[in-house]
């Protein structure tokens, strides 16, 4: 009773104070209205209107921080409640999977099994982040600024060519060169794709159909596993690389072949990795049916913009063909954007670099002069591929989960940057490299698992660049394994201040400058200083060092 009296007294006190404040506000408003009405005998006082308007603006500005703080607090409470609910769902699902009646031995045996596919990545219908941000006029203005910069590049190129040649030169010799030998590229891709459709699927079907009735299941699994690994290494691994080198494909054409090679290898692994545990589980449960996906489901997965296999994905009801055309047009515009960046910012800088004497000052200037084109190329790769290209294919396939990236530009740590830059590849590395490593060796080896993931990612990146450029120069591998690993532990998730975002962007800018500078110097050194009878070590040794010394 005493507590209720206290509550009533507090409520009555709060209501009296609220009434007093409301009375004061009404008195102020009435006084202002009287002064406004009696200002000039019925005629509107313009000065009074302006001052009143300024007072209202000032009051609104004073209320804005409190309003934003209130909205932020409500949003935080909403997110926390969602996290709490998801935790309750996880606990309830784990309780249903492992009931209290289970013995400790059965519980340990269940925990050592691989997680079924539904416990991995969960796909849900959601839009890409840039599509949502471009609805804000302020963000859309930044997009317009990049278009204006492209127009400036085009105008500068046309004017310089008109001054030098006396006419407008509209040739795109660089684009024609880097995308040359396209029929070879198309035939190679078609062979890779057809082989990926037939070989992994049929190997899995043959293994799954006879696994339950086989008396030598281990030997059978080993046999089909070896065949699958041979296809991955020899068929998809060696074949496209051999064609790219033997036919001397130009850089962009090699990028198409090698990136498709890596994509199909990852897709085939995901298909087998997700479906083999389902077959083993059905045999263990003595099920009468074997869960084998349809060929149409596998075909959809090969085209879908994801590297994680599922039988079904969330789908949109319709296809917006105007959206598809816009995205492909933006990809084409980004391609021409990259062309003008190389023509105006890179080729004039590196064309005569191999003819100059190597010194530290020249290297430092080269790195800092390469930061602007390097950062622009980084933005274009992100926008053209991770946003436009993947969204175009997702729209054509009605693939509803469009979270191909997150807000990596807000990262205050390299750990968060690696997770949000390319969500598609990160999911594959997390579920099939990191988590499977922990499943095999135990959760005590988290650092070793992280190091192995970094090593695999750095090696694949360096392999792609080495094949596409035609030389081995492990700049990216060194930056990835040395500085990337160090920054991953120094700039970790505990760094939340804005200064850490500045540090992340600064290091990212410098890294792009180093990559553009050193790889461009090596490319031109290979052109200007060819070797007559190169050995295998000559392909591994950087040519730019010896070329500078010869000059």
């Amino acid at each position: 009773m005493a507590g209720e009296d206290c509550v009533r007294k507090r409520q009555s006190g709060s209501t009296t104070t609220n009434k007093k404040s409301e009375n004061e506000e009404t008195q102020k408003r009435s006084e202002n209205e009287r002064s406004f009405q009696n200002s000039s005998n019925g005629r509107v006082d313009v000065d009074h209107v302006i001052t009143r308007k300024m007072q209202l603006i000032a009051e609104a500005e004073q209320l804005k921080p409190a309003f934003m703080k209130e909205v932020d607090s409500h949003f935080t409470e909403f997110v926390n409640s969602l996290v709490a609910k998801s935790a309750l769902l996880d606990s309830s699902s784990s309780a249903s999977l492992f009931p209290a009646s289970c013995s400790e031995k059965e519980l340990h045996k269940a925990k050592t099994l691989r997680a079924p596919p539904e416990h991995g990545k969960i796909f849900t219908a959601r839009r890409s982040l840039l599509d949502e941000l471009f609805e804000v006029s302020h963000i859309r203005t930044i997009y317009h600024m990049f278009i204006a910069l492209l127009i400036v590049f085009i105008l500068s190129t046309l004017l310089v060519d008109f001054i030098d040649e006396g006419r407008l030169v509209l040739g795109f010799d660089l684009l024609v060169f880097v995308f040359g030998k396209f029929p070879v590229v198309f035939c190679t891709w078609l062979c890779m794709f057809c082989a990926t459709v037939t070989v992994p699927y049929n190997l899995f079907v043959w293994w799954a159909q006879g696994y339950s009735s086989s008396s030598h299941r281990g030997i059978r699994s080993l046999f089909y596993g070896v065949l699958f690994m041979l296809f991955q290494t020899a068929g998809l691994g060696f074949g496209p690389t051999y064609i790219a080198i033997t036919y001397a494909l130009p850089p962009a054409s090699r990028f198409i072949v090698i990136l498709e090679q890596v994509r199909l290898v990852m897709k085939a692994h995901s298909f087998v990795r997700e479906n083999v545990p389902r077959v083993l589980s059905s045999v263990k449960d003595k099920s009468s049916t074997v869960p084998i996906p349809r060929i149409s489901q596998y075909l959809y997965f090969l085209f879908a913009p994801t590297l994680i296999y599922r039988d079904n994905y969330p789908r949109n009801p319709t296809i917006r063909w105007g959206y598809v055309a816009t995205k492909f047009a933006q990809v084409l515009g980004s391609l021409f954007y990259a062309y003008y960046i190389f023509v105006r910012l890179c080729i004039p800088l590196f064309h005569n670099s191999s003819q100059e004497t190597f010194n530290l000052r020249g290297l430092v200037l080269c790195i800092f002069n390469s930061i602007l084109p390097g950062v622009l190329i980084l933005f274009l790769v992100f926008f053209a591929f991770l946003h436009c290209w993947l969204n175009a294919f997702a729209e054509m396939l009605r693939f509803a989960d469009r979270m191909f990236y997150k807000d990596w530009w807000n990262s205050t740590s390299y750990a968060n940057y690696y997770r949000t830059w390319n969500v598609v590849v990160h999911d594959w590395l997390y579920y099939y490299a990191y988590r499977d490593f922990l499943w095999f060796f135990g959760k005590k080896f988290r650092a070793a698992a992280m190091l192995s993931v970094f090593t695999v990612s750095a090696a694949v990146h360096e392999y792609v660049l080495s094949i596409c450029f035609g030389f081995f120069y492990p700049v990216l591998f060194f930056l990835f394994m040395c500085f990337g690993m160090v920054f991953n532990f120094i700039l970790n998730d505990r760094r939340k201040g804005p200064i850490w975002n500045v540090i992340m962007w600064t290091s990212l800018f410098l890294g792009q400058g180093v990559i553009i500078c050193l790889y461009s110097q090596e490319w031109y050194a290979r052109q200007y200083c060819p070797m007559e009878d190169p050995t295998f070590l000559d392909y591994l040794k950087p040519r730019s060092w010896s070329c500078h010394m010869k000059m």
Side-chain angles (χ1 to χ4, degrees), residues 157-170:
T157 304
L158 293 178
L159 290 175
V160 170
D161 290 340
F162 183 78
I163 294 173
D164 293 340
E165 303 291 335
R167 59 185 179 87
L168 291 177
V169 181
L170 299 177

Side-chain angles (χ1 to χ4, degrees), residues 102-270:
C102 278
S103 63
E104 294 183 359
K105 185 176 180 181
E106 292 176 349
L107 184 62
H108 176 73
K109 185 177 180 181
K111 286 183 178 180
T112 56
L113 293 174
R114 287 176 182 257
E118 59 269 16
H119 291 174
K121 179 178 173 63
I122 299 175
F123 291 89
T124 182
R126 47 194 165 185
R127 299 171 63 193
S128 288
L129 187 56
L130 281 186
D131 283 340
E132 297 178 348
L133 291 178
F134 281 153
E135 294 180 356
V136 181
S137 59
H138 303 291
I139 305 299
R140 197 163 57 247
T141 301
I142 300 176
Y143 172 70
H144 297 161
M145 291 166 62
F146 277 92
I147 296 178
L149 186 59
L150 172 61
I151 295 174
V152 170
F153 279 135
I154 295 174
L155 289 177
S156 64
T157 304
L158 293 178
L159 290 175
V160 170
D161 290 340
F162 183 78
I163 294 173
D164 293 340
E165 303 291 335
R167 59 185 179 87
L168 291 177
V169 181
L170 299 177
F172 297 98
D173 297 336
L174 181 62
L175 284 178
V176 174
F177 163 70
V178 296
F179 285 99
K181 301 182 179 179
F182 187 76
V184 179
V185 175
F186 179 76
C187 293
T188 305
W189 175 84
L190 189 61
C191 293
M192 285 193 299
F193 184 80
C194 293
T196 308
V197 170
T198 56
V199 177
Y201 183 80
N202 287 320
L203 286 177
F204 172 76
V205 170
W206 294 337
W207 169 81
Q209 287 177 345
Y211 180 77
S212 59
S213 60
S214 176
S215 57
H216 302 283
R217 295 176 179 176
I219 297 176
R220 180 183 182 86
S221 300
L222 179 63
F223 173 73
Y224 280 99
V226 169
L227 289 180
F228 176 71
M229 292 301 297
L230 284 175
F231 168 76
Q232 291 280 77
T233 55
L236 282 182
F238 178 75
T241 305
Y242 176 80
I243 292 176
I245 296 175
T246 304
Y247 284 87
L249 297 180
S253 299
R254 291 192 182 192
F255 266 108
I256 295 174
V257 172
I258 300 302
L259 290 179
E260 276 296 290
Q261 172 199 48
V262 174
R263 185 183 73 91
L264 293 175
V265 167
M266 298 170 77
K267 291 254 188 185
H269 177 84
S270 176

